[in-house]
Amino acid sequence: MQNVTLNVQGMSCGHCVNAVEKNVGALAGVEQVKVNLAEGLVDVAFDDAQVSLDQIKETIDDQGYEVK
């Protein structure tokens, strides 16, 4: 299990939080997703045998946010 904290730009409201948590959380291998809206951070716990960090970043990008 890996834990990463991603710096995500463009999140500004509760809808943003829900979009990221729902879509990243739906990926196979993702155990937990927690968005800190005020800090612009997304904590993700995932099994890297099932999902890659690049897939997680791409899913966030697909929601319209930029991973730094």
Side-chain angles (χ1 to χ4, degrees), residues 6 12-13 15 20-21 24 31 38 41 43 54 58 65-67:
L6 303 171
S12 60
C13 63
H15 172 75
V20 171
E21 288 183 348
V24 174
E31 292 291 319
L41 300 175
D43 294 320
D54 285 340
E58 184 176 312
Y65 311 110
E66 185 178 354
V67 180

Side-chain angles (χ1 to χ4, degrees), residues 1-2 20-34 43-48 50-52 55-56 59:
M1 189 68 58
Q2 284 201 356
V20 171
E21 288 183 348
K22 177 182 175 189
N23 288 283
V24 174
L27 294 171
V30 173
E31 292 291 319
Q32 183 177 6
V33 183
K34 181 67 177 157
D43 294 320
V44 185
F46 65 100
D47 180 352
D48 60 352
Q50 294 184 52
V51 65
S52 71
Q55 287 173 297
I56 293 168
T59 298

Side-chain angles (χ1 to χ4, degrees), residues 5-12 17 34-43 60 65-68:
T5 300
L6 303 171
N7 184 346
V8 179
Q9 306 258 318
M11 299 183 299
S12 60
V17 172
K34 181 67 177 157
V35 174
N36 181 329
L37 184 61
E39 299 291 326
L41 300 175
V42 178
D43 294 320
I60 294 171
Y65 311 110
E66 185 178 354
V67 180
K68 292 287 187 176

